[in-house]
Amino acid sequence: MTKAYSPEKKISILLKSCKLIYDSMTQGNPGKPYGADDFLPVLMYVLARSDLTEMILNVEYMMELMDPALQLGEGSYYLITTYGAVELIKSYDKVAVTRQLSTEVQDSIHRWERRRTLNKARASQSSVQDFIAISFMEAEAKARTLAYRTDSTTHQLIQQCAEKFEVSEPQDYGLFVQVDNKTMQMDDDALPHQIKSHLLNKEPRLTFCFIYKQLSGEESPVPIIKDTDAL
């Protein structure tokens, strides 16, 4: 998880890890249903035997930089559960052994949820800042999370990418979006935030990735996307 750069990638790894824990619990007692009250102590045990310092940093990183659009998802639920487990471990010598979170931890979670809710509400304003994960040259390669204005055009975001990835000839690079197995080049005037929000809210959920890479000199160029109508 520590090697992953984007908050979304870290949350994906966390989600897979939590599901592995659930699977190991069911293998011990096949057919027995397990709930959150059963899962929390096991998660605490796993965390206590891991590098807790790095885990704390990762949890704080994800909570602060997670896309507000993902707040109500499964990943967000397990992120809050992990945060609660970490806090219980940190305060283990101060409170009696219990599965209940302390009032301080619950207040902290509520403040975080309120802050993320406000950020999500502000996302509709063009002046707000958001984050976008962009890979370099190919999907999931050297991914970086960039802060950008939600009214930024592709041309403006490309300038940030050129600086972030330190390319020597930025005029030869462009921004692409890969949706499932289809790759499209972003038009200079397209709004990446609009494209990202549309894909995040589309049902059924699509797998997508933004890629900053060299422009192709092939005779059959990839299609150019200007707005969500092309998706």
Side-chain angles (χ1 to χ4, degrees):
M1 182 185 294
T2 303
K3 294 181 180 180
Y5 189 85
S6 74
E8 289 81 6
K9 187 66 174 179
K10 288 179 181 288
I11 290 176
S12 176
I13 295 173
L14 175 64
L15 183 57
K16 291 178 181 178
S17 300
C18 289
K19 288 185 176 180
L20 284 175
I21 294 175
Y22 260 120
D23 289 342
S24 66
M25 292 168 62
T26 56
Q27 288 177 6
N29 289 285
K32 179 181 178 181
Y34 288 99
D37 288 342
D38 302 300
F39 175 71
L40 184 58
V42 179
L43 177 61
M44 290 175 61
Y45 174 79
V46 174
L47 291 174
R49 297 177 63 86
S50 66
D51 189 333
L52 196 57
T53 301
E54 283 193 358
M55 192 65 210
I56 292 172
L57 292 174
N58 277 307
V59 168
E60 293 177 349
Y61 183 92
M62 288 184 283
M63 292 185 74
E64 291 304 319
L65 299 182
M66 183 181 71
D67 192 322
L70 302 177
Q71 185 181 349
L72 300 179
E74 189 178 20
S76 178
Y77 167 78
Y78 283 109
L79 176 57
I80 293 176
T81 302
T82 304
Y83 171 76
V86 168
E87 290 298 321
L88 280 173
I89 294 172
K90 287 165 61 177
S91 59
Y92 184 81
D93 60 338
K94 301 178 182 178
V95 298
V97 178
T98 175
R99 293 178 179 180
Q100 299 298 319
L101 298 178
S102 67
T103 303
E104 291 78 7
V105 174
Q106 292 182 35
D107 288 342
S108 179
I109 292 175
H110 291 157
R111 287 196 300 271
W112 174 79
E113 288 178 332
R114 285 196 297 270
R115 186 167 71 252
R116 299 303 294 177
T117 300
L118 289 174
N119 288 340
K120 186 176 181 180
R122 291 168 183 162
S124 60
Q125 302 175 8
S126 62
S127 61
V128 78
Q129 190 179 60
D130 198 4
F131 298 90
I132 186 170
I134 299 179
S135 300
F136 184 56
M137 296 305 292
E138 59 184 32
E140 305 299 334
K142 299 181 181 179
R144 296 290 184 269
T145 300
L146 278 66
Y148 73 112
R149 289 172 57 97
T150 55
D151 60 350
S152 294
T153 62
T154 298
H155 178 72
Q156 293 169 323
L157 189 55
I158 283 176
Q159 293 177 327
Q160 288 184 245
C161 290
E163 181 178 350
K164 188 71 173 181
F165 293 108
E166 300 179 342
V167 299
S168 57
E169 298 179 337
Q171 71 276 7
D172 295 334
Y173 289 76
L175 184 63
F176 298 76
V177 59
Q178 181 176 304
V179 183
D180 289 336
N181 295 319
K182 182 180 180 181
T183 300
M184 296 167 282
Q185 182 180 347
M186 300 281 291
D187 184 83
D188 281 350
D189 294 327
L191 300 176
H193 180 75
Q194 184 183 68
I195 301 297
K196 185 187 77 166
S197 298
H198 176 79
L199 291 170
L200 284 173
N201 294 307
K202 193 174 180 63
E203 293 293 344
R205 183 63 62 86
L206 299 173
T207 300
F208 69 93
C209 177
F210 288 94
I211 309 170
Y212 178 67
K213 64 179 182 177
Q214 285 182 304
L215 299 173
S216 174
E218 300 176 1
E219 294 182 0
S220 300
V222 299
I224 296 178
I225 179 173
K226 295 183 177 181
D227 51 44
T228 57
D229 291 338
L231 298 173

